[in-house]
Amino acid sequence: SEPTEDESRPDPDAAIRPLVRGIHYLVAEDPDRALHELVEVARTHGAELAEVYLALGDLFRARGEYLRAVRIHQSVLARPQLDAEIRFRAHWALARDFHSGGFLDRALKQYRAVLELQPDHLPALEGMLAIHEDAGEWEAALSVLRRIGEVRGERDAAHEAFVRASLAAALPEREKAQALAEEALSVYPGCGLGWEVKLSVEPEAAAEILDQWKTHARASLPYALALAERLAPEAVEAWLQEAQDELREVEWLGWAEAAESGRARQVLKAAGFQPQTLRGWLRWSAITGESEGARWAREWRASEGNWRCAQCGLVLRELRWRCPQCRRWGTMRAIERELGCVPA
């Protein structure tokens, strides 16, 4: 028999049921089943549901399928008479697709498209900043950082100083590097990288720079002393003698590990240095070889981290001015203590 008019009419809930199921699976943190349901919605009713395509592309990106996410979000932008809000969201989704997939030039293009539609969109500005910093494009990074400050209504002086100092460190011309480093330190005196650049271009002023470094950026002083040992060993030895009563164990040992072991032993003994923590004793033993456990201490030292990020807790052996995990600037602190007692 012929179907009735009601039987031949499309079911108005045909798209709703799998869409609801997809949302349910998303809430339940089951992205695979959510993706299956949304693919079905897009296949049968996608022409009318741009929202579904946007969500579907986001799911593919979350699964690491960046090219599929790109194709889906590009298909949304290709539609005629697209709603302005949907267009903005599609550009933003594409920017994240390209950035996550490592297509950085294309990501920058999409971030700019987002900012043409919403000039104050902070996440797009932050995405651009991350790309420029990772690429070492410090002038572009500084420009974006200034714009971020305008949008937020406040200046991030520490971040700006580290970007300025990074630009200074990349310059081959000594005078320009020195001027930029001084600009960075005028913005934020706690910028350790700024002091590093100054010490690198003015090793003859090592004592004065170390005084300033200790005053304004003491968290990285162990690194400063090791750097000064390489650049101006006589000046740093004299400075150590003058400042010996103010120095912490981790600062003495930071210098000693960069110095020749015989010289380190001589200077530290003359200063009456005695390690006060288990960690300090192990480092001292690794440097001097003056204990029965020296060999074991050197093995421990070879694998032990020196710096811990105060923001996210990442431990690194070498100092990084920007934490590679949380991407914050100037958060690394010298590790000073571990549990345990100093051997008798």
Side-chain angles (χ1 to χ4, degrees):
S1 61
E2 294 293 326
T4 65
E5 182 178 345
D6 287 342
E7 291 174 333
S8 61
R9 184 179 303 153
D11 183 357
D13 294 332
I16 299 301
R17 284 193 292 268
L19 184 58
V20 170
R21 286 196 297 269
I23 293 171
H24 168 76
Y25 290 135
L26 281 176
V27 173
E29 297 185 357
D30 189 348
D32 290 339
R33 296 176 76 178
L35 185 61
H36 173 78
E37 296 294 345
L38 291 178
V39 166
E40 179 62 22
V41 175
R43 185 181 65 81
T44 57
H45 294 80
E48 301 85 28
L49 298 175
E51 293 273 3
V52 174
Y53 271 88
L54 290 172
L56 187 56
D58 290 346
L59 278 172
F60 278 123
R61 182 177 63 250
R63 286 164 55 96
E65 298 184 55
Y66 304 120
L67 293 179
R68 295 186 73 179
V70 165
R71 286 196 293 269
I72 289 172
H73 290 137
Q74 284 177 333
S75 74
V76 174
L77 282 173
R79 298 182 181 198
Q81 299 179 341
L82 193 63
D83 177 82
E85 175 64 19
I86 296 295
R87 180 176 298 280
F88 164 78
R89 288 171 56 192
H91 279 299
W92 172 233
L94 264 177
R96 287 180 292 164
D97 296 341
F98 285 131
H99 199 163
S100 299
F103 303 101
L104 302 184
D105 288 343
R106 296 184 182 186
L108 283 173
K109 181 178 179 180
Q110 291 302 320
Y111 283 135
R112 294 187 186 103
V114 169
L115 292 170
E116 287 179 4
L117 297 171
Q118 288 192 18
D120 294 345
H121 192 260
L122 267 175
L125 288 166
E126 290 166 349
M128 292 182 70
L129 178 61
I131 291 174
H132 289 314
E133 288 185 336
D134 288 343
E137 298 168 347
W138 301 114
E139 291 186 10
L142 187 59
S143 176
V144 175
L145 188 58
R146 290 194 188 108
R147 178 60 185 147
I148 289 174
E150 292 172 0
V151 173
R152 287 179 175 162
E154 59 181 358
R155 182 186 192 184
D156 188 341
H159 194 160
E160 181 180 330
F162 275 103
V163 172
R164 286 179 181 272
S166 297
L167 177 57
L171 291 176
E173 301 91 345
R174 171 180 168 144
E175 292 184 359
K176 289 184 179 179
Q178 183 177 354
L180 272 173
E182 289 172 355
E183 284 182 18
L185 292 167
S186 69
V187 171
Y188 175 62
C191 177
L193 179 56
W195 295 114
E196 177 183 355
V197 174
K198 277 186 67 67
L199 183 56
S200 298
V201 300
E202 300 178 77
E204 66 279 4
E208 179 184 348
I209 293 170
L210 287 173
D211 282 337
Q212 295 295 318
W213 201 325
K214 182 167 72 72
T215 299
H216 298 292
R218 188 158 188 171
S220 57
L221 187 59
Y223 173 79
L225 293 169
L227 178 64
E229 172 62 22
R230 294 192 292 272
L231 297 174
E234 293 182 2
V236 73
E237 185 173 336
W239 186 88
L240 287 168
Q241 291 173 358
E242 291 185 9
Q244 64 183 27
D245 294 336
E246 304 172 25
L247 295 181
R248 297 196 290 259
E249 176 183 274
V250 70
E251 294 163 350
W252 277 114
L253 293 171
W255 166 78
E257 286 182 337
E260 187 273 325
S261 60
R263 180 161 165 268
R265 285 196 301 269
Q266 181 181 357
V267 171
L268 291 179
K269 285 184 177 181
F273 174 81
Q274 290 292 330
Q276 300 299 310
T277 67
L278 174 59
R279 180 182 180 86
W281 180 84
L282 288 168
R283 292 181 70 180
W284 173 244
S285 297
I287 293 167
T288 64
E290 291 185 349
S291 73
E292 294 181 1
R295 179 178 177 181
W296 182 84
R298 282 193 290 269
E299 292 175 356
W300 167 85
R301 192 72 194 110
S303 61
E304 184 67 10
N306 294 326
W307 302 88
R308 179 181 288 116
C309 177
Q311 186 72 22
C312 70
L314 179 69
V315 173
L316 297 174
R317 183 162 178 79
E318 302 294 334
L319 174 64
R320 299 279 292 275
W321 293 116
R322 183 177 63 165
C323 175
Q325 181 165 282
C326 69
R327 306 178 65 81
R328 297 290 295 274
W329 286 92
T331 57
M332 287 293 167
R333 303 289 182 267
I335 300 174
E336 298 194 42
R337 295 181 179 272
E338 302 291 352
L339 295 177
C341 300
V342 180

